[in-house]
Structure formats: C-alpha cells, structure tokens
Amino acid sequence: MSPNYATWSKEELIARLTELELRVKGSPKYRNAKRDPSPTGGRTFHFKDHPLRKIAVKFCYSGWEYNGLAYQIDPTPLPTVEEVLFQAFAKARLVDPEAGLDGCGWERCGRTDVGVSAAGQVVSLWVRSALPANGSAPPVERLSGPDAAATEPFEQSLATDPPDATSDADNGDLEFPLLGIIDEPPSNSSAPPPRTEELHYVSILNRVLPPTIRVLAWSPVSPGFSARFNCRHRHYKYFFTSHDLDVSLMQQAANYLIGQHDFRNLSKLDPAKQIKDFHRCIMKAEISPVSGEGDNTMYVLDLMGSAFLYHQVRHIMAILFLVGTGLEPPSVISTLMNVDGTESSSSRSPVPIVDRKPEYQMADGLSLMLWDCAFTDSDVRWQTDDACGGGEAGSGTGLYRQLHSVHQRSLVHTTLEAHFLAAAARYHPPPPQHFPFSQTGLTTSTIQSLADTEPAVLAVPLGGGTYRRGVKYIPLLSRKRLDHVDVANERWRNGKGSRRGEKTDIGITVADDE
C-alpha cells in the first residue's frame, strides 16, 4: 500500500526523498547509465541498446594528405587515414568511440605507407544498424562505452552540422534531480516501429569525412569475415613518365616477377615483425601507357599479388627504374630473387646467389596507389545508398561529381605547370640527356669522358619527379650488403624486442614502428 504523502510533514517528505535518491544512486542502472537527453529531442538510449551488424567498407584517399593509413598511438606530423575514418564512424555514432578500433573489430585489407594513396582500400568492422540483429556480435562490453549516445534520426540530422552528443541541460541545479528516474515509465513503452531500410552508410560517412577521403561502397559480410584474410589478391598501380626510360626493358625485367619468389632483397625488413618467410606470389606485372605522348607519356605498372612485403612495390619500382635507364640489365631482378640458388635465367647461364640485400633507395611513394582489394562474390556484395533510395549528397551522382571536379582542377594544375616549364625553357636550356643508354648510346664510362670541366651529374629517376643525383654509379651487385635477415631479426629480439617484452609484462603498450 502506497503511503499517504499528503499527511506527511515537510521534514518527513525531505527525509523520504533523500532516502530514495541515495537508493537510486547506489543501483547498477544509475552507475552504468548516462542520463543525458537525446541531442535531437528524442528518447534517450545507449549504444549497447542498438543492433549491430558487420560490414565491409570500400574507400579511397589522397595519401599525400596523411601520415599513412594505420592508426598510430604516438603523435604524427599529419593525421593517419584510420584515425580520421574512425573519428567519422564515431561522430556518426556508428561505432562506440570509447571502445576504440579493437572494440568494433576493425580490420584493414592492406597497409599503405606515408604518402601512398588508395582507390579501393577496404576495412571490416561492426557498426550500428537500423535493422534487427542478424549475426553474432562481439561481446557487448567491447562494443559499448559509458558515454556513448546516439539516436536513430541522426542520419537525417547530418545534413547540417552534427549536434554534440552531450546536452547542455544539467539537472544539477535542481534540489532533487533523481525524481524523474524514479517515476519514468519503461523505456520500451515508446519504442519506435522497427525499420525495414538500412542506414545510408555511404552518405552518412561522406558528410562528415574530409574530401580527401571518400567512401565508395559498403557490403554486408558474415560475422567471421576479415578484410585482411578473406582478400584474394591486392592490386597496386605505380604511375611514371617515360622520360629518360626504356619502357620495353622495364617490362622485360617485370616479367621475372611473375610467380612465387623470395622478395627479401626487393623489400624493407622490419625486424619487429620477425618475418622468416619472404616468398610471395605475383600474378601480374604489366606496364602499359595511360595518357600523353612522346617523352611525357604516362605509364603504369599494374602489380597484382596475393600479399606484399613491407615497401615491396616501391623497391621493385626502384630496380625497374635502374633497368629502364640502362644502368642495370633486366636480369638483375632474377638475380636479386636468387637467395638460395633456385632462380634461373632465360639464357641458362648461372645466376649469382644474393642472400643479403644490397643498399639502394626505394622509389617515391607519391606515384603508388592501392587500386583494388579483391574478394569472392560470396564474401562481399558491394552496394551504395542509391540502391535503397539514398540521396545525391555524398553518394551516387553527388560523389561522382565531387571526384570529377577534383580531377578537372588537377588537369588545370597540370596545364599550368606545363606552361611554367615552357616559359622557363625560353631562358634556361634543359640539361643534357644521358638516359636511357639504349637510345643515347652512352655508358657510365663514356658519360664522364664527354664532360668539359666538371664531372657529369647522373640523375637517376626515383618516381614522382624525384631523382637521385651523383657523379658515380656503383652497380647493385657491387654495393655494400645489409645484414642477413636472420642476423637482423636476432639483434632485434635481443635488443629492442626484449625491452618491449619487459614493458608489455608490466602493462605498458608499445606501438609498432612504421
């Protein structure tokens, strides 16, 4: 039987309210819940109360704007792509920001370096869904945080500046702030009817992302799907001009890459990963023209493989540039892959064994792009918001127009730069052309004999308009060799690796080096 509060004195009522307030404060519901009102005026709810689904997201980004793809714990000069992308997911309340990347099961298909772009990068993760749960989600405690707040109408509210997740309203000025909690009806009493249409992920994300990152499509995936391990192959493109290069020689060298080979001498060793097997399978290595004509023809190397080592593509391109100039023969690719004597040459002559990598500089990263990450049709079904009635802004036609506009401005910049060069050529003659040797008839020895007073400077292309300049060229196989990978790995285990293990044992997280 409820007490008759009408007969209670003021002191008795205050004592009763104080008792109820202390009781509610001690309840698990109060401790685990944040009672801020919904920013859009709807009912308050928590991230953990919403259904989840696992999806894959395909996106592109301009690598020169970022400090690489992978999220970094330590501060970086520029933001990373994953940092900005995850913040967009969190701002759109598709993931719980308190749980971080691990909390939503974040996995990337391929890691790109600082300055490297992508047109078809893929990540997989668990996100908030508008539809009933349709798969086994990760544990709730990993997917929800104490301060997460979201509302269903947020998809529509993104058309303007997204509201803050925390309301300015504060009940702390009221004498008894908890009466509303005691008397509120069950939260499911005003539950909205279930939705039959999924959230417009492409539009939602593109409205909060910078224009240098664009989400292209998304796909529902199974709970066990992994963007990394379900990928069948990665397709990279490296763009370069034919200036100073014999492209036919470069293609001859690229042909040696096809198949399963040991690429330790055509990549950068990262001892922290403790890699022992450097065999990778290349399915395609083809050079073809893209645009332009004459000395300024733009070419692209299409390199397709099941997986790649650290900086592998850029090391391969560096060697191809040396071959294109005539400084190295095409067979040098086969020689660098002959780590244990298993490689053979087309001329049936013995191939030197190179079990340690010679020193050389890798190609520039600006020209490199991760073009595509391929999956089976049974794993992914790429779709856009247009398929389910999504609006134009940030998706479909709108997205195409955005990228088309960027492309048009880039063409204008290219034309302007060409005219700057033409204006300079009226007063400053171009330097003598030494490469490619197959066309100039020169060699490293005859170049210096043609010099008047000062030694001739060799400008070896590194891609992206960069060059390595010097007066003397040392053949690759005559250069200083780096330590054997076994030696480098052991040195890391006994040094930095052991110190990292000690820090991990006492609970200090150490980030991997880039």
Side-chain angles (χ1 to χ4, degrees):
M1 178 177 177
S2 300
N4 185 8
Y5 292 119
T7 63
W8 287 34
S9 67
K10 179 181 178 180
E11 290 75 16
E12 291 173 327
L13 287 171
I14 292 176
R16 176 59 173 167
L17 290 173
T18 303
E19 177 189 355
L20 291 173
E21 184 177 19
L22 292 175
R23 185 186 305 172
V24 173
K25 280 187 175 180
S27 67
K29 178 180 178 182
Y30 179 86
R31 291 195 304 267
N32 298 331
K34 186 176 181 65
R35 305 303 303 176
D36 288 336
S38 165
T40 57
R43 69 183 183 92
T44 301
F45 71 98
H46 309 288
F47 189 87
K48 65 180 180 180
D49 297 333
H50 288 262
L52 301 171
R53 75 180 307 172
K54 194 170 192 180
I55 67 171
V57 176
K58 176 174 285 192
F59 58 101
C60 62
Y61 51 88
S62 305
W64 56 87
E65 297 281 351
Y66 297 97
N67 210 80
L69 169 71
Y71 180 88
Q72 300 290 325
I73 297 177
D74 297 325
T76 53
L78 293 172
T80 66
V81 175
E82 283 189 336
E83 174 188 349
V84 176
L85 185 60
F86 180 79
Q87 288 175 353
F89 273 99
K91 189 173 185 179
R93 301 179 195 137
L94 297 176
V95 299
D96 178 12
E98 299 295 330
L101 274 71
D102 291 337
C104 62
W106 185 286
E107 285 188 282
R108 72 181 79 95
C109 181
R111 180 170 178 168
T112 55
D113 310 316
V114 177
V116 177
S117 301
Q121 180 67 272
V122 175
V123 296
S124 57
L125 71 161
W126 290 88
V127 296
R128 177 169 63 90
S129 173
L131 304 178
N134 58 353
S136 300
V140 172
E141 59 268 18
R142 294 184 63 218
L143 286 159
S144 61
D147 297 328
T151 56
E152 293 292 353
F154 183 72
E155 181 181 351
Q156 287 75 27
S157 71
L158 279 171
T160 59
D161 291 337
D164 293 335
T166 303
S167 171
D168 291 334
D170 189 350
N171 291 329
D173 295 334
L174 300 179
E175 187 174 3
F176 301 105
L178 300 172
L179 289 177
I181 298 179
I182 299 171
D183 299 330
E184 71 173 354
S187 60
N188 59 1
S189 62
S190 59
R195 289 180 52 157
T196 59
E197 183 180 298
E198 186 54 281
L199 298 175
H200 296 160
Y201 294 117
V202 175
S203 300
I204 290 175
L205 291 168
N206 282 336
R207 285 180 185 136
V208 295
L209 281 168
T212 48
I213 302 178
R214 295 287 87 184
V215 173
L216 306 176
W218 72 279
S219 171
V221 295
S222 66
F225 176 86
S226 166
R228 178 184 178 188
F229 295 108
N230 283 70
C231 182
R232 302 274 66 85
H233 67 259
R234 283 92 173 164
H235 183 175
Y236 284 91
K237 288 178 177 285
Y238 196 99
F239 300 92
F240 62 95
T241 65
S242 57
H243 181 68
D244 284 351
L245 297 172
D246 187 329
V247 177
S248 63
L249 291 177
M250 297 175 69
Q251 182 61 68
Q252 291 181 34
N255 292 337
Y256 287 100
L257 299 169
I258 303 298
Q260 186 94 0
H261 303 282
D262 190 315
F263 286 95
R264 69 181 65 192
N265 294 328
L266 290 167
S267 62
K268 181 178 180 179
L269 176 67
D270 184 359
K273 292 183 172 62
Q274 291 291 292
I275 295 177
K276 297 181 179 179
D277 185 7
F278 296 88
H279 286 83
R280 296 295 184 270
C281 180
I282 299 297
M283 308 167 184
K284 180 180 180 180
E286 183 177 299
I287 298 176
S288 55
V290 177
S291 61
E293 57 184 15
D295 198 35
N296 291 319
T297 301
M298 183 68 69
Y299 283 86
V300 62
L301 169 69
D302 283 287
L303 201 61
M304 188 183 302
S306 56
F308 290 85
L309 296 168
Y310 188 30
H311 288 323
Q312 181 178 341
V313 181
R314 294 169 65 181
H315 278 75
I316 288 174
M317 276 307 307
I319 303 302
L320 293 182
F321 284 141
L322 293 177
V323 172
T325 57
L327 291 170
E328 297 288 345
S331 60
V332 72
I333 291 284
S334 178
T335 302
L336 290 173
M337 297 187 300
N338 192 37
V339 176
D340 52 8
T342 57
E343 296 288 332
S344 59
S345 66
S346 57
S347 61
R348 299 180 181 273
S349 58
V351 180
I353 294 178
V354 183
D355 62 349
R356 293 183 299 147
K357 176 185 171 184
E359 291 183 337
Y360 63 92
Q361 185 175 346
M362 66 179 178
D364 188 72
L366 175 65
S367 304
L368 179 59
M369 166 187 284
L370 175 59
W371 171 246
D372 193 25
C373 300
F375 302 87
T376 62
D377 293 339
S378 60
D379 280 338
V380 298
R381 301 184 304 277
W382 297 115
Q383 59 192 55
T384 65
D385 298 340
D386 296 336
C388 53
E392 180 177 302
S395 175
T397 304
L399 177 57
Y400 182 89
R401 286 176 177 170
Q402 292 172 15
L403 296 178
H404 184 265
S405 176
V406 173
H407 178 240
Q408 293 296 305
R409 291 186 65 84
S410 297
L411 292 177
V412 172
H413 279 291
T414 299
T415 303
L416 290 173
E417 298 291 353
H419 280 70
F420 295 154
L421 180 61
R426 296 163 59 185
Y427 308 100
H428 306 276
Q433 183 174 353
H434 301 133
F435 303 124
F437 287 165
S438 61
Q439 297 177 13
T440 62
L442 299 173
T443 64
T444 52
S445 57
T446 58
I447 288 177
Q448 298 302 336
S449 63
L450 295 176
D452 296 333
T453 55
E454 298 181 357
V457 176
L458 300 179
V460 180
L462 292 172
T466 62
Y467 297 85
R468 182 176 179 85
R469 292 178 168 84
V471 297
K472 183 179 180 181
Y473 179 77
I474 301 177
L476 273 175
L477 300 184
S478 301
R479 298 184 186 181
K480 178 183 177 181
R481 305 287 176 89
L482 302 180
D483 289 335
H484 193 279
V485 295
D486 294 340
V487 175
N489 282 337
E490 183 179 6
R491 181 170 59 245
W492 185 90
R493 288 195 302 269
N494 296 333
K496 189 174 182 179
S498 62
R499 295 192 297 272
R500 177 176 297 188
E502 293 172 358
K503 292 181 179 180
T504 302
D505 291 340
I506 61 175
I508 299 177
T509 303
V510 183
D512 288 337
D513 294 335
E514 173 62 26

